[in-house]
Each structure stands twice: as structure tokens, then as C-alpha cells.
Amino acid sequence: MKSITKFHNEIIKIVGPDFILTNPNDILPYLHEERGLKKSNADIVVRPESSEELAKLVKLCSNNKIPIVPVGGLTGLVGATVASGGIIVTTDRMNKILNIDQLNKTMTVEAGCILADIQKEAIKHDCLFPLSLGAEGSCRIGGNLATNAGGVGVLRYGNTRDLVLGLEVIMPNGDIWDGLKALRKDNTGYDLKNLLIGSEGTLGIITKAVLKLFPSPKTTVTVFIALNELTKVLELFEGVLKRFGQNVSAFELISRIGLDMELKHLNGMHDPFQQVYPYYTLIELTTSFEDADLRVAFESLLERFLENQTIMDAVFAENERQHSSLWRIREELPAAQSREGGSIKHDISVPVSKTVDFITEASKRVKELLPGIRPCPFGHIGDGNIHYNLTQPRDISKNEFMSYSSDLNRVVHDLVTEMDGSISAEHGIGLIKKSELNHYASPVKMKIMRSIKAALDPDNIMNPGKIV
Ligand SMILES: Cc1cc2nc3c(=O)[nH]c(=O)nc-3n(C[C@H](O)[C@H](O)[C@H](O)COP(=O)(O)OP(=O)(O)OC[C@H]3O[C@@H](n4cnc5c(N)ncnc54)[C@H](O)[C@@H]3O)c2cc1C
């Protein structure tokens, strides 16, 4: 590993003395790894203000083979921002909204914009930017793009990839690729934009993006539903989708074990029902016009489901406060789980039709391997993405439980593979899932990905060691 202290002065010439951090206390926040599973190490963090500054910095790194790790909000869950020497580049100063085109329904932003700020800006213009996830108050759009983030709106609006028209990217040699088009049709050769989205900072640093906007919802109906068996969830999903189609903007699964952990560990958490049920769904319907009939129609559908016992109970959000507290139940599940002890997480997807079979069979197999283990499945069941998280048995230590990680991953991911699913639905690969990707991806896919990486980044300076 090259010493990079000798490049300090050159970096200062590019960004100015205030925007190169070398004091260990200043650097510490950038070494944060959300899961706490990996250790990050770097001596310099650089905070460029513009694409031009960043391009010069990358050129300097390229000429001197200095590794660079781009970071956004550092909320990623696969260790993809973990540095092992070199410099960390943060986009936190590149946080301007550059343009809104009302007619084209697009917003052009710098990569360091916080996702929640983009959502708020869209609302100011009576529009919606539908990417929404638990970390939206701190993740940055560059990070969302680099991970092709999913979240709760995928069922209706797609992943981040589906929400972007154009990108500007600093390539590993310092070239600026200007693909900042606001076009819905552009068939001019290889799709570089979609190659760079989801590349987790390994092929370049995203500096700007043109995002798609949508009509803002004028009517929102949010309901929390109790189920007495998991199998009913797909019956409910089919019925709701058949009746409301494109109006279904979220369909989330919550398990009782997760709600119990929240009631135990989190302040101000309430069970919406008097009785205990094993599973719940949180459903949201929206329309882009005032539609008093939406709630009425939903109630009448749920009444039929109550009569035939597909569902056991339902609570509608009557105001903004109730809406937030129902969503809080869904969003705080990972936090409650972490407080319950060791947690081994799987971010998997299978076809929606196989989600229930997946949860049932996976739970059987992990319990055979480790009796007492507590599966806590939840997540975006409406798009087939289950966060199949496993909480430690009560009678063993966290360390002992974590020593089962590889074996449990094998059991869960083997089943995912049997069901033609994905071992990483929305969080990416980073460092934490790299060995799993190597195990499950076809040699042909790995060869193609390695060839692309070698072609674009022959010196392997751009977020080295991640994905491939
Ligand atoms: C409470 C919580 C809830 C979450 N819920 C979801 C969810 O529902 N769906 C979901 O998909 N994820 C979720 N996540 C994971 C995480 O928020 C996403 O992966 C998010 O997209 C990461 O954005 P970030 O800005 O924090 O990126 P970081 O963590 O900073 O970086 C992630 C990756 O992107 C790269 N990167 C960052 N910026 C750039 C850039 N400008 N150019 C190139 N590469 C870059 C990094 O090198 C790294 O590889 C959640 C996380 C938390 C903590």
C-alpha cells in the first residue's frame, strides 16, 4: 500500500485546506460501518465541492494508483464503504438540487443530496419522488444509485434504477462521463447508466443524476391488517392487487415476533390490536386525485376478507400521526431486533408466489440446524423481497450464535437458489456478501463482471475489493 501523505499538498491544491480531513477524530465518522461487522481504515477523507474537483482528485489517484472509496450517507448494509487504506471521498458537499422540469417531470440533483431532501423538494413542486426507505433521512442519492436501492415503493414505482433518466459519473481514470440526459427514450448503444447504477462505487463515482418525478398522491389510505396464518397473505395480496392495481403503493409483511421485540425494546410502540396475531401486513393505496371512494372501496373489500377469515382485523390510519405510527412499526423492526441480541440477516427475493413457501421452508430448515433460533421475517413481500432475519436462541450467547453465520447463510441461500431467487434483493454485495456471490453466481456471470471491472478500472483503484 502506497503512503499517501506525500500527496496531501496536491489534494489541498484541488479542494482547499479545509476539505481534506486527516485528524483521526474527524475521520472517525466516515469509518462507520452500519452493521458493525467490518473494520474500515483510512488516513484521509476528501470532501470535494464539484465534479471538476472530484475529477482532478480521481485523476491524481489514478496516476498514482491510490485506492478511493466513495461514500454517501454510510447507511449501506453490506460493508461496501469499508476502506482498507487509500482515501475516502465523500459527496456531502455536492448536495445541490440543480433543476426541476415540471413538464418533463424530472429533477436534476447532485449526488450528495440526502434522499429526504429530494422527497421534500418534489413535494414543494406538487410532485413525488417515490424512493422511500428507513434510512432516507441520512442516505444520499449517490449511495441510493450506487446500490440500486429498493425500499417500500418498489411494487408500484420500481427500484432506484427505474427512477433515473441520466447520470454524470467520474470514471476511474478521472474522465467525466456526461450522461446527464433527461430522456425517456435513448437507444444509443450500450446502456452505461444502468451498468453504473448498482455498481457500488466500483466502476466510478456518480456526481449528478436526472431523477423521474411522479404526480403527488392526493389520497392515501393506510391500513394495518392482522392475519392468523402466513398463507393468507398471498390471498390478500392477490385480492388487493386485482381490485386496486396501480393504486397499491406498498404491501409489507410484519411478523408478531418482530412486533413483540419492538414492544419490549422501543419507547412509545403500541400494538394496534387487542389480540395477538402471528402476522400482519401494512398496505398503502394512493391516487393522484382526491378520491373519497378509495377508502370506502378498500373497506368493503376488507369486509369480505374478514367474513371469509382471510384477515382477522384491520386498523386504518385516520390521520398523519396514526399513519406515522403504523409505518414506525414496519421501519423500526431492524432496530428492535438488534436490541434483542445476535441477528443474522438475509436480504433475499423470490417470485412473490413463492414467498410464503420460502418463509415456511427456511424456518423449518434453520430450526433443524439450530433449535431455539427465532426467525423474524419481514419486508417488502409485495415485490418478493423478504428480510429473512434470524434472532439468536435465548439459551446461547451472541458470540456462539454468530459462529453459526456461515452455516445458516448456506441453508437460507441454498433454498433461495432452489427457488430461483436472489441472495441480495436490494442491499447489494459489498464486502459482506462477496463470498456468497462467488459461491452462487455462475462462473460466466463472474467472468463478465470481472472483465468489465478490469476494462474500466485496470489498476483496481475504485472501491477495491467490493463485489468482484
Ligand atoms: C434503517 C435502514 C433501513 C434501510 N432500508 C433499506 C431499504 O428499504 N431498501 C434498501 O435498498 N436499502 C435500505 N437500507 C440500506 C441503505 O440505506 C441503502 O443501501 C442506501 O442506498 C445507501 O445509501 P448511502 O448514501 O448511505 O450509501 P453508502 O452506505 O454511503 O454507500 C453505499 C455504496 O454506494 C457507494 N457510493 C456512495 N455514494 C456514491 C457515489 N456518489 N458514486 C458511486 N458510489 C457511491 C459506496 O461506495 C458503497 O459501495 C437501509 C439502511 C438502514 C440503516
Side-chain angles (χ1 to χ4, degrees):
M1 186 68 60
K2 267 179 186 271
S3 162
I4 50 176
T5 35
K6 64 178 181 181
F7 298 108
H8 279 196
N9 285 341
E10 284 178 71
I11 296 174
I12 286 169
K13 270 190 225 153
I14 297 170
V15 294
D18 293 340
F19 301 110
I20 165 169
L21 311 181
T22 51
N23 179 321
N25 284 336
D26 295 337
I27 290 175
L28 204 56
Y30 298 92
L31 305 180
H32 168 79
E33 193 273 289
E34 186 69 34
R35 302 273 307 274
L37 298 176
K38 298 281 175 191
K39 219 168 159 29
S40 191
N41 163 39
D43 298 325
I44 300 184
V45 174
V46 187
R47 304 177 58 219
E49 192 191 18
S50 65
S51 306
E52 291 67 30
E53 281 186 10
L54 184 50
K56 282 185 197 159
L57 182 71
V58 173
K59 180 81 76 193
L60 175 73
C61 291
S62 168
N63 290 342
N64 295 285
K65 301 194 180 10
I66 302 168
I68 312 169
V69 177
V71 305
L74 291 142
T75 67
L77 297 172
V78 289
T81 52
V82 170
S84 167
I87 66 170
I88 291 177
V89 175
T90 168
T91 54
D92 61 358
R93 292 178 66 226
M94 300 169 66
N95 58 0
K96 288 183 274 310
I97 307 255
L98 300 172
N99 173 258
I100 301 240
D101 183 337
Q102 276 282 11
L103 193 57
N104 201 38
K105 284 272 172 288
T106 50
M107 186 193 297
T108 307
V109 299
E110 288 188 324
C113 288
I114 301 260
L115 174 56
D117 293 340
I118 293 174
Q119 295 167 341
K120 283 182 211 148
E121 190 65 23
I123 291 169
K124 272 194 223 160
H125 292 80
D126 196 25
C127 289
L128 172 76
F129 181 61
L131 182 64
S132 174
L133 43 124
E136 62 199 24
S138 41
C139 61
R140 296 178 189 275
I141 193 69
N144 302 141
L145 290 157
T147 57
N148 184 30
V152 295
V154 171
L155 176 60
R156 177 154 172 194
Y157 298 101
N159 296 288
T160 304
R161 184 170 271 132
D162 303 299
L163 304 175
V164 183
L165 295 179
L167 290 183
E168 179 190 84
V169 182
I170 312 297
M171 303 309 290
N173 63 359
D175 284 353
I176 301 180
W177 173 55
D178 180 0
L180 205 61
K181 305 251 193 205
L183 303 175
R184 283 178 168 78
K185 287 190 164 177
D186 180 11
N187 263 348
T188 49
Y190 299 143
D191 193 340
L192 302 184
K193 175 189 75 177
N194 276 325
L195 175 63
L196 288 151
I197 295 173
S199 65
E200 299 183 49
T202 62
L203 300 179
I205 306 181
I206 298 165
T207 43
K208 292 181 188 134
V210 180
L211 308 175
K212 286 188 203 168
L213 298 177
F214 295 80
S216 86
K218 293 290 182 300
T219 306
T220 300
V221 180
T222 307
V223 64
F224 199 82
I225 293 175
L227 305 167
N228 66 355
E229 318 168 32
L230 180 59
T231 47
K232 302 286 186 192
V233 73
L234 292 183
E235 236 173 89
L236 176 64
F237 178 66
E238 196 180 14
V240 172
L241 211 62
K242 198 168 163 194
R243 173 67 184 81
F244 295 105
Q246 279 294 301
N247 295 129
V248 187
S249 53
F251 195 104
E252 298 285 307
L253 177 75
I254 292 147
S255 55
R256 177 71 206 185
I257 180 175
L259 178 56
D260 275 338
M261 287 177 200
E262 293 183 312
L263 296 169
K264 179 172 163 193
H265 296 292
L266 306 179
N267 288 333
M269 195 59 84
H270 300 288
D271 185 340
F273 303 107
Q274 304 284 328
Q275 280 191 50
V276 170
Y277 299 97
Y279 286 97
Y280 306 91
T281 56
L282 180 60
I283 306 177
E284 196 150 278
L285 306 185
T286 54
T287 61
S288 57
F289 50 93
E290 306 284 351
D291 181 6
D293 293 341
L294 188 65
R295 162 85 181 249
V296 177
F298 201 8
E299 277 174 353
S300 105
L301 180 72
L302 292 184
E303 266 161 33
R304 275 199 277 127
F305 278 135
L306 269 171
E307 274 162 27
N308 68 16
Q309 301 216 320
T310 302
I311 69 171
M312 302 309 289
D313 207 344
V315 168
F316 282 84
E318 301 295 348
N319 51 43
E320 192 45 47
R321 193 179 52 78
Q322 287 177 7
H323 173 267
S324 305
S325 68
L326 292 182
W327 270 105
R328 186 174 171 231
I329 297 176
R330 163 62 188 84
E331 297 296 5
E332 301 249 17
L333 285 164
Q337 243 192 321
S338 311
R339 295 192 203 170
E340 182 69 12
S343 173
I344 298 173
K345 298 176 193 295
H346 303 98
D347 164 42
I348 68 93
S349 64
V350 290
V352 177
S353 48
K354 294 184 183 173
T355 46
V356 167
D357 290 347
F358 169 81
I359 293 171
T360 311
E361 181 62 20
S363 300
K364 183 168 147 267
R365 293 190 191 181
V366 296
K367 284 176 184 171
E368 277 164 11
L369 179 70
L370 183 58
I373 194 168
R374 290 174 287 162
C376 179
F378 68 91
H380 320 297
I381 193 161
D383 62 40
N385 176 194
I386 304 294
H387 296 308
Y388 189 71
N389 292 358
L390 300 169
T391 295
Q392 68 171 86
R394 290 195 172 85
D395 57 353
I396 64 173
S397 70
K398 180 172 176 179
N399 280 348
E400 187 181 350
F401 176 58
M402 296 314 280
S403 73
Y404 282 89
S405 295
S406 308
D407 291 344
L408 288 164
N409 290 344
R410 189 60 66 242
V411 166
V412 173
H413 291 157
D414 276 358
L415 179 60
V416 167
T417 306
E418 281 168 36
M419 292 188 160
D420 278 332
S422 166
I423 60 157
S424 183
E426 60 176 8
H427 295 160
I429 297 298
L431 268 185
I432 290 171
K433 291 220 180 129
K434 199 173 146 180
S435 60
E436 292 301 277
L437 181 71
N438 262 299
H439 185 84
Y440 289 101
S442 77
V444 175
K445 175 173 176 167
M446 293 307 295
K447 194 169 145 196
I448 295 169
M449 290 206 297
R450 289 192 181 111
S451 312
I452 292 170
K453 172 72 174 165
L456 296 184
D457 184 16
D459 294 320
N460 192 24
I461 60 159
M462 203 47 90
N463 207 1
K466 315 294 159 36
I467 308 183
V468 288

